[in-house]
Amino acid sequence: MQVYHSEATKLRRARTELHDGQLMTPFECPERVDLVLARLRDSGVGPVAAPREHGLAPVLAVHDAAYVEFLSTCWDEWQAAGHGGEAIPTIWPTRTMREDRIPGHVGGKLGYYALGGDTSISPGTFEAAMASKDVALSAYEHTASSGQPSFGLCRPPGHHAASDQFGGYCFFNNAAIVAQRALDDGHARVAILDVDFHHGNGTQQIFYGRDDVLTQSIHGDPDQCFPYYLGHADEKGEGPGLGYNVNYPLPPGTDYATWRERLELALAEISDKQASLLVVSLGVDTFEGDPISSFRLKSDDFLDMGRRLASLGLPSVILMEGGYAVEEIGVNVAKVLQGFQGA
């Protein structure tokens, strides 16, 4: 399997995350990339190649132009305003306030474009997000030209990024960018299957009213789990997209046997909807040792997961999302890819 990786994805090295009432070092860190790469090389999954640059056009195909401009200038604006720490939102246009005006001050812009206060903007964030998008698109191009599966070691991840909001460590929605590019290349329908512990709220929002992308997510019940306000089973799409968004929320403590049942339902739905390309948002934070998740998958379960994903027989692009049990992240990613290849 061809693997794509860019050292530029590690340019984002945030120091600050608000978690459980404390400011701490983020769980999403550059070391995740090194651990995955090392394990992939040890396991012989496939060659690693650098991506080519794709510019902003693919980003603007799914993201709001003003939002993209904000991400590109936020850090400089934050510094120019005299702030010493990293850029963290502290106020939002909530239910009792207006959301039809974007403030001029960077602090107001942060709240307008942020999903929550968990994700800071630090030096190198925009550059890393651009590199992550290039990794995803280069993986897609390999699959499109060869028919063979590919893995994009994306960082930052992408599935929480909506058309004009960042959060959950995500800035550009890599899976959505790839899906739109595939549609532009002539695919009639693309399936995005999100297997991260957390709901892919951004992916859902981008395609919610469309039937050319089937979006599915198997995740922790939003009644108990981030991002809380999206990801319920009754969210099925709207207008032309009705029936093309499927959520499988599961309770804390879910084991692989239960999780696998939802995977089989998702795979059957992909076949029924006749997708011609599979994009997998691969989070391995469903692992039992993950520090910010609550499922109970074991490392060997990821091998079976990969086999089942391959059983569709579709051209497939697998993109890295979450996974924060740093000691095991490389093992679990490698097992998914080995299972896929072995099938």
Side-chain angles (χ1 to χ4, degrees), residues 68-342:
V68 174
E69 175 67 15
F70 160 76
L71 288 179
S72 72
T73 61
C74 177
W75 178 246
D76 289 340
E77 284 191 65
W78 183 256
Q79 288 186 301
H83 301 305
E86 295 179 324
I88 303 173
T90 57
I91 189 167
W92 291 264
T94 54
R95 289 188 301 276
T96 58
M97 304 179 100
R98 291 180 63 170
E99 30 178 70
D100 61 329
R101 297 192 61 162
I102 304 174
H105 190 276
V106 64
K109 291 180 190 176
L110 272 167
Y112 184 85
Y113 287 119
L115 291 168
D118 61 306
T119 301
S120 62
I121 292 182
S122 59
T125 293
F126 181 76
E127 292 79 6
M130 288 289 286
S132 188
K133 164 267 304 177
D134 289 335
V135 166
L137 285 168
S138 295
Y140 162 73
E141 288 176 338
H142 173 80
T143 295
S145 62
S146 68
Q148 299 301 307
S150 59
F151 173 63
L153 182 47
C154 296
R155 180 190 182 264
H159 70 149
H160 293 306
S163 58
D164 63 352
Q165 286 188 304
F166 72 93
Y169 312 129
C170 302
F171 302 94
F172 294 151
N173 194 307
N174 301 309
I177 290 169
V178 165
Q180 186 60 54
R181 168 65 187 279
L183 295 171
D184 294 342
D185 284 350
H187 284 270
R189 179 168 295 121
V190 176
I192 301 178
L193 176 56
D194 193 323
V195 297
D196 190 280
F197 172 80
H198 302 94
H199 175 245
N201 60 283
T203 309
Q204 172 172 313
Q205 180 265 336
I206 289 169
F207 296 114
Y208 202 63
R210 296 169 53 171
D211 63 1
D212 51 359
V213 178
L214 170 65
T215 54
Q216 299 190 93
S217 181
I218 310 170
H219 54 268
D221 189 338
D223 188 54
Q224 302 291 327
C225 307
F226 180 92
Y228 299 111
Y229 305 107
L230 212 62
H232 298 278
D234 62 352
E235 297 159 12
K236 299 180 179 180
E238 62 184 11
L242 185 62
Y244 288 86
N245 185 84
V246 186
N247 287 321
Y248 301 96
L250 291 166
T254 291
D255 62 10
Y256 184 61
T258 302
W259 191 96
R260 186 181 61 214
E261 292 174 359
R262 276 44 172 205
L263 177 62
E264 289 301 319
L265 292 173
L267 297 178
E269 184 75 8
I270 292 169
S271 296
D272 289 345
K273 292 292 196 293
Q274 298 181 321
S276 55
L277 177 74
L278 174 64
V279 180
V280 179
S281 282
L282 175 63
V284 294
D285 47 358
T286 50
F287 177 63
E288 62 183 352
D290 195 274
I292 55 174
S293 306
S294 60
F295 285 174
R296 295 290 178 262
L297 274 64
K298 302 181 183 302
S299 286
D300 285 346
D301 295 331
F302 292 99
L303 196 65
D304 183 70
M305 182 191 300
R307 295 191 192 105
R308 291 174 188 271
L309 292 170
S311 69
L312 284 172
L314 288 176
S316 300
V317 182
I318 303 172
L319 304 177
M320 190 72 205
E321 298 284 0
Y324 309 104
V326 175
E327 294 302 319
E328 295 87 359
I329 184 174
V331 173
N332 296 335
V333 170
K335 282 185 178 291
V336 174
L337 303 185
Q338 287 173 314
F340 197 103
Q341 284 182 305

